[in-house]
Amino acid sequence: MKFKKIDALIIVIILLVAGLFFYRVGFIGEKKEEKKEIQPPGEEKHDLQPLPPESFITASRRVVEPIDEGAHFKSKLVVCREWWFFSVIFNSSMLKNWSLTVGFAHMAYGDIFGKLKPDLFLLSLTDDKGNSYGGIINKDRLIKKTLSAGSPGVSLKFDNNWAEGSYPYWHVHIEDNDLDAKHDIIVDLDFVANSLPLWTVMDRFKLENMEKSNIAQYMVPSCSVIGTVILDGVSFDASGIGYYEHSWTPFYIRRGLTPVMRLNGWDTFYVHFDNGWDMYLHKVYPAPQFISSKTPKLNFVGCIILSYNGGEKITEFRTFQMKTTGSERKIMFVRMPTSFEISASKKFTILLEKVDLRLNLYIDLLGKCEKTWRFPSYIGMQTGLASVKGSISWFDGEKEVSIDLNGKATFWSTRAAP
């Protein structure tokens, strides 16, 4: 049988294609060692699990620039508020289930009525047994400006405590014996973002008209945190999952709106669940306690942000009920919460797809640092560690999916007299 040139060419092509195929599937050539994924400090890996329906998030809500992270208050006399908040749930072996909250706040003079010391700093280091170390302190601004804040980027200093950096990296240093007379605390922590930031109030493209807004707020979920915590001379290697939040009221606030809202309190929670998900929960009370406590649907400023896949995917609730199920009286007219019940739901997505999404949570405060300002202020503030339990369920188009939620949270709560 005589082969033609075209037959020989076809055979050569077949052999080349077969050789390429066997090389690609690993039968031919040197077998390469499988590349291992490097896990960032503090990040946890979990088995694949169903994820809730995602929310539609505009691109402008995920853009934060260094000028946004800097100070927005203009002078010592401007009546406005601005704070920077860092939070972490530790997962390192020596600090497992410990938490840390750090806050730098430029408060308005009327927020702590009758006290001309509106520069505020808070620190709460809470162990796994609910013991808290640190405290809350407010100091003078007129005679000696205690809190200094620069721009662009985070550049904060309150006595010996400071924080600096800009997305995606920040460093927090704590070294202040005034907060806790019984304990010495030194903290050095690096916060590294694993996802884009998220504006919870306003967005990047509206900042040019921020004089028309009462408040701007963004946060960065699911940060990797690594560093050192020294408590009473004992040094601990620290790593965990953290949050960074920055909020401000840009100019003078209209009477009867934000001053009332701010003076009557807020609850903020940064939750890390055992399954690797994270949640930011924030609610501000725009009415006195005797009204807002009876009307849990009243929610002028508030949101629930559930994030997963390292903070890249978001499920957002803008309407929810938050009921205080336990409280304790601190001083006359001021009761501080001890437990909460939260519920939220969505029937449809933005594309009108049925999801029947339901979230139910129960929060118990475990340990806290607190401060109460008496006459004439009548304000209570607390920050620390909480336990979170509950469930989330939804319809995925074919069946009902339900997942139990268990985790820990850091929190910051404030209450004022009615």
Side-chain angles (χ1 to χ4, degrees), residues 290-355:
F290 73 92
I291 296 177
S292 58
S293 62
K294 303 297 182 183
T295 55
K297 291 184 179 181
L298 189 62
N299 188 27
F300 186 81
V301 174
C303 62
I304 296 177
I305 306 292
L306 184 62
S307 58
Y308 30 91
N309 283 17
E312 286 298 335
K313 297 183 180 297
I314 299 292
T315 297
E316 181 178 37
F317 296 90
R318 280 291 170 177
T319 58
F320 59 94
Q321 295 187 27
M322 185 168 180
K323 180 181 178 182
T324 301
T325 55
S327 64
E328 56 184 1
R329 185 180 299 278
K330 294 301 179 181
I331 57 175
M332 183 173 57
F333 305 130
V334 177
R335 298 186 66 89
M336 298 303 294
T338 58
S339 60
F340 301 86
E341 181 178 335
I342 297 100
S343 61
S345 64
K346 281 184 179 181
K347 294 295 183 181
F348 300 94
T349 67
I350 193 172
L351 300 177
L352 299 181
E353 298 173 328
K354 183 180 178 182
V355 292

Side-chain angles (χ1 to χ4, degrees), residues 85-311:
F85 201 86
F86 297 88
S87 164
V88 56
I89 301 291
F90 293 113
N91 57 21
S92 53
S93 58
M94 300 178 72
L95 295 178
K96 183 72 172 178
N97 292 326
W98 287 47
S99 72
L100 180 78
T101 56
V102 176
F104 299 81
H106 175 281
M107 307 296 286
Y109 278 103
D111 289 344
I112 309 175
F113 184 71
K115 312 290 184 183
L116 296 178
K117 297 180 178 181
D119 286 348
L120 184 142
F121 178 78
L122 61 88
L123 164 70
S124 178
L125 174 65
T126 307
D127 64 22
D128 55 355
K129 297 179 177 60
N131 301 309
S132 284
Y133 314 90
I136 302 171
I137 190 170
N138 61 300
K139 290 193 174 184
D140 181 72
R141 179 183 302 161
L142 278 177
I143 300 176
K144 179 184 177 182
K145 183 173 66 174
T146 308
L147 173 67
S148 62
S151 185
V154 175
S155 180
L156 302 166
K157 191 174 189 304
F158 191 108
D159 291 338
N160 296 325
N161 310 291
W162 54 269
E164 62 181 21
S166 61
Y167 180 85
Y169 170 85
W170 307 267
H171 185 85
V172 177
H173 175 83
I174 308 300
E175 187 179 354
D176 196 323
N177 295 328
D178 291 344
L179 289 171
D180 193 329
K182 298 180 180 179
H183 301 280
D184 293 328
I185 304 171
I186 300 175
V187 174
D188 276 290
L189 293 176
D190 292 321
F191 283 70
V192 182
N194 291 315
S195 68
L196 296 173
L198 177 68
W199 290 93
T200 58
V201 179
M202 219 166 48
D203 62 47
R204 184 66 186 83
F205 295 155
K206 294 179 182 177
L207 290 180
E208 295 179 358
N209 299 315
M210 69 180 180
E211 69 274 9
K212 299 179 182 179
S213 174
N214 292 306
I215 186 170
Q217 182 183 66
Y218 66 85
M219 60 89 177
V220 183
S222 307
C223 295
S224 293
V225 181
I226 189 168
T228 304
V229 173
I230 302 176
L231 176 61
D232 296 331
V234 181
S235 180
F236 302 92
D237 291 333
S239 64
I241 302 297
Y243 272 82
Y244 157 54
E245 178 193 335
H246 182 198
S247 307
W248 70 89
T249 52
F251 289 97
Y252 287 96
I253 307 304
R254 293 190 294 272
R255 180 178 175 83
L257 185 60
T258 304
V260 174
M261 177 182 71
R262 280 301 178 194
L263 282 177
N264 286 283
W266 61 81
D267 292 306
T268 304
F269 293 90
Y270 309 88
V271 188
H272 182 63
F273 292 109
D274 295 343
N275 66 353
W277 297 356
D278 293 287
M279 189 182 75
Y280 171 78
L281 191 159
H282 179 65
K283 182 173 182 179
V284 174
Y285 300 98
Q289 290 185 69
F290 73 92
I291 296 177
S292 58
S293 62
K294 303 297 182 183
T295 55
K297 291 184 179 181
L298 189 62
N299 188 27
F300 186 81
V301 174
C303 62
I304 296 177
I305 306 292
L306 184 62
S307 58
Y308 30 91
N309 283 17

